[in-house]
Amino acid sequence: MGIARIATHLVSGGSARRLFPTRALDEIQKAIAAGEKRHSEQVCFAIEGALPLGDLVRGRSARERAHEAFSHLRVWDTQNNSGVLIYLLVADHAIEIVADRGIAARVTESEWVAICAAMRERFVAGDFVAGAIDGVNKVSDLLAAHFPANGSATPNELPDRPVLL
């Protein structure tokens, strides 16, 4: 456990709400809804300002926390194993994408990493909302290429509204 990491997390607790106010969440929600019209998969977006102290003491990584959020938010529980979680951990400047097994079988980890890198670039420039929307759009582009919409209505199994953890 690093003292610097703990200190960063202690002061970053409210940063998710500050960086992603209601207007920003509305815009991200619209991007998710629009993207899901182009593919047959489900996208969930979660933002966490800081990890709980217990997780910090145990040395939990952003990737581990993303997997936990994937489970907690039931992204894994879609009918066709078609869920993708975009997870931001503000205090660690971490972006993780976790895909259900139905998607992971066709989309490579390097494709997700490239999307995270593009988002990080926008975030470093201070453009959090546009970076998040760009990430959602890139995820939707990738899903549309591998899992295009077939013209029939796909049930919306996950909320389009970003979740603040």
Side-chain angles (χ1 to χ4, degrees):
M1 122 181 100
I3 299 296
R5 184 175 189 225
I6 290 173
T8 299
H9 280 257
L10 290 176
V11 299
S12 296
S15 59
R17 290 191 191 283
R18 183 176 43 80
L19 296 172
F20 296 95
T22 300
R23 177 193 56 78
L25 300 177
D26 293 343
E27 293 301 315
I28 297 166
Q29 180 177 350
K30 287 177 191 173
I32 291 170
E36 287 181 350
K37 290 178 180 165
R38 299 187 301 122
H39 57 77
S40 59
E41 309 309 285
Q42 298 290 304
V43 176
C44 182
F45 197 99
I47 308 159
E48 189 160 30
L51 292 177
L53 185 58
D55 286 343
L56 291 169
V57 170
R58 285 189 294 277
R60 178 164 286 186
S61 70
R63 185 72 178 170
E64 290 169 324
R65 183 66 173 155
H67 280 278
E68 183 179 346
F70 184 85
S71 175
H72 173 74
L73 296 170
R74 301 181 64 90
V75 179
W76 59 270
D77 198 23
T78 58
Q79 183 176 359
N80 296 317
N81 299 315
S82 60
V84 173
L85 173 66
I86 302 170
Y87 172 81
L88 309 180
L89 179 54
V90 177
D92 281 353
H93 306 280
I95 305 158
E96 299 287 344
I97 298 176
V98 181
D100 209 335
R101 63 187 174 274
I103 297 168
R106 297 183 50 196
V107 179
T108 67
E109 186 65 26
S110 64
E111 291 172 293
W112 300 128
V113 169
I115 294 170
C116 292
M119 290 175 70
R120 187 172 294 105
E121 203 172 289
R122 299 292 291 268
F123 291 171
V124 167
D127 203 353
F128 292 94
V129 177
I133 292 169
D134 187 48
V136 167
N137 290 337
K138 287 181 184 320
V139 166
S140 290
D141 291 345
L142 188 57
L143 293 174
H146 289 281
F147 307 94
N150 62 10
S152 63
T154 303
N156 196 8
E157 298 179 75
L158 297 173
D160 295 340
R161 183 83 175 166
V163 178
L164 295 176
L165 300 172

